[in-house]
């Protein structure tokens, strides 16, 4: 019986975590902004086809992959490549610099 409850709670825990990651629609990047001081150098960007929760995306400068993601975002914008973003949509990870919901980037794909 204990095993049943462990498996059940693990299932709900994994489901709760996966609900916080929202995949974007495949789209092009509309706008990119980089801040020199705000957030210590955050990068934000918007895609044309907005997701249900995420209306924009952000990458903190101190993220381990920030340099790579920033380079890919700029390259995709300049080449008008289609992209797909997986981002944490939880309220705790929301970018505080906007009135709309900007989600923390987890994975960035150039799908061309």
């Amino acid at each position: 019986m204990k095993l049943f409850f462990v498996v059940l709670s693990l299932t709900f825990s994994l489901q709760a975590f996966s609900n916080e990651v929202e995949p974007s629609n495949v789209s092009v990047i509309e706008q990119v902004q980089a801040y020199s001081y705000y957030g210590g150098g955050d990068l934000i960007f918007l895609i044309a086809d907005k997701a249900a929760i995420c209306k924009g995306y952000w990458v903190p400068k101190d993220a381990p992959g920030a340099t790579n993601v920033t380079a890919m975002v700029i390259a995709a914008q300049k080449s008008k490549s289609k992209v797909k973003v997986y981002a944490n949509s939880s309220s705790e990870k929301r970018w505080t610099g906007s009135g709309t919901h900007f989600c923390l980037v987890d994975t960035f794909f150039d799908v061309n």
Side-chain angles (χ1 to χ4, degrees):
M1 190 64 150
K2 285 183 182 180
L3 179 61
F4 171 75
F5 286 113
V6 168
V7 170
L8 185 63
S9 63
L10 181 60
T11 301
F12 283 113
S13 298
L14 290 174
Q15 185 177 10
F17 173 75
S18 66
N19 287 340
E20 292 181 355
V21 175
E22 181 181 58
S24 74
N25 302 307
V26 174
S27 187
V28 294
I29 296 176
E30 281 186 322
Q31 183 179 9
V32 178
Q33 292 178 335
Y35 291 87
S36 58
Y37 289 102
Y38 191 82
D42 293 343
L43 174 84
I44 65 166
F45 63 96
L46 303 169
I47 62 174
D49 190 4
K50 308 287 188 263
I53 298 170
C54 302
K55 304 307 176 198
Y57 302 93
W58 74 287
V59 180
K61 185 179 181 189
D62 61 351
T67 303
N68 295 337
V69 174
T70 299
M72 289 181 70
V73 167
I74 293 168
Q77 182 198 29
K78 296 302 178 194
S79 66
K80 297 179 178 39
S81 293
K82 292 189 179 193
V83 301
K84 185 167 188 79
V85 183
Y86 288 85
N88 188 319
S89 61
S90 72
S91 296
E92 295 82 29
K93 300 294 183 178
R94 179 181 175 204
W95 189 60
T96 58
S98 175
T100 59
H101 200 105
F102 277 64
C103 298
L104 179 64
V105 173
D106 180 51
T107 309
F108 182 89
F109 293 97
D110 184 327
V111 297
N112 281 349

